[in-house]
Amino acid sequence: MRVANVIEEGKLGGPQVRMVRVAAALKGQADTLIVMPWDNSEPFRALCEEADVKFHAMPLTRITTEWRVALRYVLFSVWEVIQLARLLRNENIDLVHASGGSWQYKGVIAARLAGIPSVWHLNDTSMPKWVRVVFGCLKPLANGFIFASHRSEDYYGSALAEKLSAVVPSTVDTDKFDPSSHHEKQPHCFNALGDAPVLGTVANINPIKGLELLIEAFAHARKKHADLKLLIVGPAHANQLRYQKSLLELTEQMHVAEHIVWAGAQTDVQPFLARMDVYACSSVAESSPVSVWEAMAMARPVVSSDVGDVSRHIQSGTNGIVVPERSAETFAQAIVTLLDDATGRGSMGDKARQTAQDFSPNSVAGKTFAIYRSVLTASRQSAGQ
């Protein structure tokens, strides 16, 4: 089976990491070609090369508020879809996997133009009205759907009830993300942390990550643990510099600026996770947050907002704490609870790692291949009729 996994966003994030890990795990069952935009995809391409996964970078513009890119999107999207359909035919693709969510539909349209069945991967739990309208028009083109979480499945609900579908979470390489791994060379920014306890997160600097809640909770937690440091790992892309500035202003207002280390983009987050005593996810919305699963694989106890399928996998007081309300005080109390109990924190971390085994590449790849096979079989049967 030859599969083209198409995404319109080149920046490396959870969906891109999942694509590479699953493609690598599917070797022997499916030959995967990852199709990505050329723009902003250097780390994505490097990850493919590291995993020995085939990829093709081409001009694919994305929906954005950046007016130059938005203009290119309007002007060139039709041409891009035609070129993508031509690529799919030339590569003798059997099935197209359209990744990235409901607003990334070029792979689905190109697949239909090329006469190839497609699976649309949905990781949304909310959409703007105009996206819902476009998705409603285009959803009949897909032969099946993958939901990144049960919460995404609930969001789309009966609208896709007649289609083949499966819930397939994000994946984490639990062999790589292993707390027993030793890191001889420590990142330079660790000098600013010293021996202090560390609260940390891995997240793009983006409003959807709710980092203002984390900063406010950190300020509250420092009232009980005055030596606590906050480590934030992740890039601020050009279109989020205004948001980043607002966060920096907030750290000044909360008088915690000098206690926060902004590590920026990192190709390997494992040593950063290993340095964290407590991992925090303050997101406003997620589906299957790979950064949380990676932290759990590293035996970090997690404090998380109630997003995506987090509450399905984290049982508060057992392998982490889920905070149901977006309250900085409540979030801080959960952090303090873990910091106050080193023994309990270690036990939760160990159980979190056990839970993370559910997201192993082989497990996720198996679920992915099952929906591939079901869609391809149904499509061939339909064509035979």
Side-chain angles (χ1 to χ4, degrees), residues 5 17-28 30-34 51-54 365 372:
N5 201 332
V17 171
R18 170 191 53 77
M19 292 166 71
V20 176
R21 288 178 179 164
V22 171
L26 279 174
K27 288 180 180 179
D31 182 16
T32 304
L33 174 69
I34 292 180
D52 192 27
V53 169
K54 298 175 185 177
Y372 284 175

Side-chain angles (χ1 to χ4, degrees), residues 148-167:
S149 66
H150 289 86
R151 191 161 291 192
S152 292
E153 183 182 37
D154 292 342
Y155 178 73
Y156 288 96
S158 59
L160 304 176
E162 75 284 0
K163 295 281 189 175
L164 288 168
S165 65
V167 176

Side-chain angles (χ1 to χ4, degrees), residues 259-288:
H259 304 295
I260 300 177
V261 174
W262 301 82
Q266 300 293 331
T267 55
D268 183 8
V269 301
Q270 186 186 16
F272 293 87
L273 291 171
R275 182 61 186 85
M276 298 173 190
D277 296 281
V278 176
Y279 184 88
C281 170
S282 55
S283 294
V284 176
E286 295 280 358
S287 188
S288 181

Side-chain angles (χ1 to χ4, degrees), residues 33-150:
L33 174 69
I34 292 180
V35 182
M36 67 182 75
W38 184 263
D39 290 348
N40 303 312
S41 64
E42 291 87 351
F44 191 7
R45 283 177 263 149
L47 187 63
C48 289
E49 291 171 351
E50 179 184 346
D52 192 27
V53 169
K54 298 175 185 177
F55 68 92
H56 180 86
M58 63 181 294
L60 283 175
T61 49
R62 69 188 192 282
I63 296 174
T64 177
T65 56
E66 300 172 59
W67 73 268
R68 290 183 179 85
V69 180
L71 181 61
R72 285 171 53 200
Y73 186 89
V74 172
L75 294 176
F76 297 111
S77 282
V78 172
W79 178 83
E80 290 170 4
V81 169
I82 293 171
Q83 293 299 107
L84 180 55
R86 183 175 299 168
L87 172 70
L88 299 175
R89 287 192 294 265
N90 291 342
E91 291 289 337
N92 296 314
I93 298 299
D94 298 306
L95 181 76
V96 173
H97 183 161
S99 290
S102 59
W103 60 276
Q104 299 196 31
Y105 43 75
K106 290 179 183 177
V108 176
I109 299 175
R112 179 55 65 98
L113 289 177
I116 300 170
S118 64
V119 175
W120 202 341
H121 202 129
L122 304 174
N123 54 9
D124 318 284
T125 54
S126 65
M127 293 185 295
K129 184 177 180 179
W130 70 269
V131 176
R132 292 199 300 270
V133 171
V134 173
F135 175 75
C137 295
L138 296 178
K139 66 185 181 184
L141 300 182
N143 300 81
F145 293 88
I146 293 176
F147 302 107
S149 66
H150 289 86

